């Protein structure tokens, strides 16, 4: 198992290098790890996996009911949703099948619901059902006044995006993939049948290259002479409400979508919180992940109509993510056989859901570019810590605590995180390198006090582990 974060990169030649360790990049190397004859590298600019769009989204496992019928995105979301739902069960990733309600607030939106049901059917999702205002308010008693009806989409789920990305990376590394962190790619050259990546940690040589660089996929594409798309970051700000708000809703509450996206929603999370967001702000700054007073005010205005009582609840956190939007309303996945190169661009908010299907698709494209995949094998399953609030936590397992009292000693009381869980995370296959990474693996410091109570103890444990 090889995970590096410092020093020069190894002077070996890889069969495939994947640039970008978001959920899609990690899914791709996991798929390639099924072929033991390949030497594979995952190259990431930052100090952890899942540091970009993958850590700042609405964490919905989509059915794909409202995708553009016939698009690549529609097919991969449909396939990926089934794959990821099964993988989550196998790997211990928290998922809650809460379903969604697409709420109509005026006559125009109400008239759009039958068209959305037809669109869902064209996307091979047949379980939508219109409901009247009476049933809608029975299902959601705290919904704001004035809703005229809704489309019920029972297959929509919420999932833990952090654990999903980490599970892919963990499984890949355990099966021989080299993960190289802190390695931003500055230049790419293609010469004599091989790519040379110039990174901050030195050169890396590979025969085949996959560009899963997310917000920077267009920049990497241009290094190889392609100008097929431009990433225009779309910022989404979100508000996270405290767990006391969780009883206010039972479904994901969706607006009727517009050209800019799915709009502002209210959704539960697997951690027991409630999300309000996101905004959809066009930008040309790929680092603009800060929140704004204007954006948060807009969200509160929308939230007041959807779920008025929500605004009386405590806010735990706010955050913003950037979606890799492009000129076309579809994924930009393209093979360039003459360069042994595959671009995986324009992967927006559905990338989490589609990740496993994208990986299968990219693997086939690599074979089309001349890569001999060789024989395939089944991967040994991974079992990840389940961070879901609806699932039993280690400190509640008397047998586990009796065998190892560290699991019975809580460090983060807001999120009920034990010393044993923190210890395990620090010793894991892909360990955290800072407190934020530890939070994504355990939820420590992610609760209502945001680390005010447990921060010093968590830091002491991390420093004691030499991280």
């Amino acid at each position: 198992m090889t995970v590096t974060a410092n020093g020069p990169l190894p002077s070996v030649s890889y069969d495939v290098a994947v640039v970008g360790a978001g959920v899609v990049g990690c899914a791709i190397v996991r798929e390639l790890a099924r072929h033991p004859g390949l030497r594979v590298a995952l190259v990431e600019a930052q100090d952890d996996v899942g540091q970009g769009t993958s850590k700042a989204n609405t964490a919905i496992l989509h059915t794909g009911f409202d995708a553009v019928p016939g698009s690549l995105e529609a097919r991969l979301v449909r396939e990926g949703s089934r794959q990821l739902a099964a993988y989550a069960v196998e790997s211990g990733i928290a998922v809650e099948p809460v379903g969604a309600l697409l709420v109509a607030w005026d006559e125009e939106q109400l008239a759009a619901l039958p068209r959305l049901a037809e669109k869902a059917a064209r996307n091979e999702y047949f379980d939508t059902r219109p409901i009247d205002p009476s049933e809608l308010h029975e299902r959601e008693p705290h919904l704001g006044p004035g809703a005229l009806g809704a489309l019920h989409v029972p297959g929509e789920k919420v999932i833990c995006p952090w654990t999903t990305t980490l599970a892919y990376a963990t499984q890949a590394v355990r099966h021989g993939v080299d993960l190289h962190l802190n390695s931003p790619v500055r230049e790419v050259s293609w010469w004599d049948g091989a790519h040379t990546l110039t990174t901050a940690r030195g050169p890396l040589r590979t025969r085949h290259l996959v560009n899963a660089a997310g917000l920077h996929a267009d920049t990497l594409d241009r290094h190889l002479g392609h100008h097929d798309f431009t990433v225009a970051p779309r910022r989404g700000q979100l508000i996270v409400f405290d767990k006391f708000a969780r009883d206010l809703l039972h479904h994901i509450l969706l607006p009727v979508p517009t050209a800019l996206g799915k709009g502002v929603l209210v959704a539960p999370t697997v951690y027991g919180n409630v999300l309000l967001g996101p905004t959809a702000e066009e930008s040309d700054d790929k680092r603009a992940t800060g929140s704004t007073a204007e954006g948060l005010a807009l969200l509160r205005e929308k939230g007041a109509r959807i779920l008025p009582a929500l605004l009386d609840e405590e806010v735990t956190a706010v955050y913003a993510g950037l979606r890799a939007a492009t000129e076309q309303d579809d994924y930009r996945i393209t093979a360039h056989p003459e360069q042994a190169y595959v671009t995986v661009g324009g992967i927006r908010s559905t990338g989490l859901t589609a990740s496993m299907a994208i990986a299968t698709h990219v693997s086939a494209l690599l074979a089309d570019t001349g890569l001999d995949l060789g024989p395939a094998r089944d991967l040994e399953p991974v079992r990840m810590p389940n961070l879901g609030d609806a699932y039993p936590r280690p400190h509640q397992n008397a047998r586990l605590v009796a065998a190892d009292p560290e699991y019975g000693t809580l460090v983060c009381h807001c999120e009920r995180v034990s010393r044993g869980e923190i210890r395990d995370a620090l010793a894991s296959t892909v360990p955290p390198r800072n407190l934020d990474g530890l939070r994504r693996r355990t939820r420590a410091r992610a609760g209502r006090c945001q680390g005010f109570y447990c921060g010093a103890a968590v830091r002491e444990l991390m420093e004691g582990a030499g991280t």
Side-chain angles (χ1 to χ4, degrees):
M1 297 187 294
T2 303
V3 180
T4 73
N6 301 294
L9 295 176
S11 57
V12 299
S13 182
Y14 289 96
D15 296 305
V16 188
V18 177
V19 177
V23 69
V24 170
C26 289
I28 292 169
V29 293
R30 176 194 170 275
E31 177 65 24
L32 293 173
R34 296 179 60 247
H35 303 278
L38 297 179
R39 183 151 198 176
V40 180
L42 178 58
V43 182
E44 167 57 36
Q46 301 193 62
D47 65 354
D48 199 0
V49 300
Q51 281 277 57
T53 302
S54 300
K55 74 174 183 181
N57 53 52
T58 52
I60 295 175
L61 182 52
H62 297 283
T63 58
F65 79 96
D66 59 347
V68 176
S71 65
L72 179 62
E73 180 179 17
R75 176 171 71 83
L76 296 181
V77 168
R78 184 167 60 247
E79 295 172 2
S81 179
R82 292 191 291 265
Q83 291 175 293
L84 182 50
Y87 183 74
V89 173
E90 173 189 291
S91 305
I93 299 167
V95 175
E96 285 192 54
V98 293
L101 294 170
L102 197 69
V103 181
W105 295 95
D106 58 39
E107 293 292 344
E108 182 179 356
Q109 293 176 6
L110 188 65
L113 296 185
R115 294 194 297 271
L116 287 166
E118 293 170 6
K119 188 177 187 180
R122 291 169 64 195
N123 283 317
E124 300 181 25
Y125 186 79
F126 303 103
D127 293 337
T128 62
R129 182 175 68 87
I131 62 176
D132 60 26
S134 175
E135 182 180 349
L136 174 58
H137 284 279
E138 183 179 336
R139 285 178 170 273
E140 292 292 349
H142 298 281
L143 191 71
L148 303 181
L151 188 69
H152 185 209
V153 189
E156 298 281 293
K157 305 174 179 70
V158 291
I159 189 170
C160 178
W162 304 336
T163 312
T164 303
T165 304
L166 188 61
Y168 293 158
T170 297
Q171 206 168 19
V173 169
R174 288 182 182 176
H175 288 83
V177 171
D178 291 347
L179 170 59
H180 300 303
L181 303 168
N182 294 324
S183 303
V185 175
R186 294 169 176 166
E187 291 183 19
V188 182
S189 62
W190 163 252
W191 179 255
D192 196 24
H195 297 275
T196 299
L197 311 182
T198 302
T199 81
R201 295 175 54 201
L204 184 141
R205 186 175 172 85
T206 181
R207 292 193 300 116
H208 294 259
L209 178 63
V210 177
N211 171 5
L215 292 165
H216 303 281
D218 55 345
T219 302
L220 189 59
D221 223 32
R222 282 158 176 64
H223 282 304
L224 289 165
H226 304 288
H227 299 268
D228 298 336
F229 63 94
T230 298
V231 173
R234 185 173 294 159
R235 180 168 61 181
Q237 300 183 51
L238 296 107
I239 301 175
V240 183
F241 288 88
D242 190 78
K243 295 185 180 187
F244 286 124
R246 179 63 182 85
D247 290 339
L248 292 177
L249 80 165
H250 306 290
H251 305 75
I252 303 164
L253 301 180
L254 299 172
V256 176
T258 69
L260 279 179
K262 300 180 187 300
V264 174
L265 57 83
V266 180
T269 75
V270 293
Y271 318 117
N273 301 100
V274 175
L275 287 182
L276 172 62
T279 58
E281 306 161 51
E282 303 292 349
S283 172
D284 57 4
D285 186 351
K286 296 181 179 181
R287 298 172 297 176
T289 56
S291 298
T292 66
E294 295 80 8
L296 299 180
L298 172 66
L299 292 181
R300 293 182 68 86
E301 177 186 333
K302 298 283 188 181
R305 182 178 193 186
I306 302 168
L307 207 67
L310 184 62
L311 300 192
D312 296 328
E313 300 294 332
E314 294 289 333
V315 172
T316 297
V318 299
Y319 67 92
L322 297 174
R323 287 157 278 178
T326 67
E327 306 93 327
Q328 290 189 8
D329 193 21
D330 198 1
Y331 294 164
R332 310 302 298 274
I333 302 178
T334 307
H336 300 279
E338 72 285 357
Q339 293 177 309
Y341 170 58
V342 177
T343 303
V344 186
I347 311 299
R348 294 155 300 142
S349 57
T350 56
L352 171 63
T353 299
S355 54
M356 298 187 83
I358 292 172
T360 303
H361 182 63
V362 169
S363 179
L365 290 178
L366 282 169
D368 291 343
T369 68
L371 177 65
D372 182 6
L373 294 171
R377 61 180 171 180
D378 291 331
L379 300 179
E380 288 294 321
V382 293
R383 195 68 188 172
M384 306 301 293
N386 191 309
L387 304 183
D389 202 60
Y391 295 82
R393 300 301 300 273
H395 77 92
Q396 297 170 308
N397 186 328
R399 183 178 300 176
L400 182 63
V401 173
D404 186 346
E406 292 283 87
Y407 291 112
T409 305
L410 293 185
V411 177
C412 172
H413 288 262
C414 295
E415 294 297 318
R416 299 172 296 159
V417 182
S418 66
R419 287 176 61 95
E421 292 169 88
I422 293 173
R423 177 201 61 200
D424 292 349
L426 294 172
S428 62
T429 302
V430 184
R433 299 186 180 275
N434 54 43
L435 291 172
D436 285 342
L438 183 61
R439 177 175 58 189
R440 290 191 294 275
R441 286 161 174 80
T442 65
R443 294 284 295 162
R445 298 171 54 254
R448 60 178 57 98
C449 84
Q450 291 289 288
F452 179 82
Y453 176 79
C454 67
V458 173
R459 181 180 292 276
E460 183 179 4
L461 289 171
M462 192 156 191
E463 291 175 350
T467 303

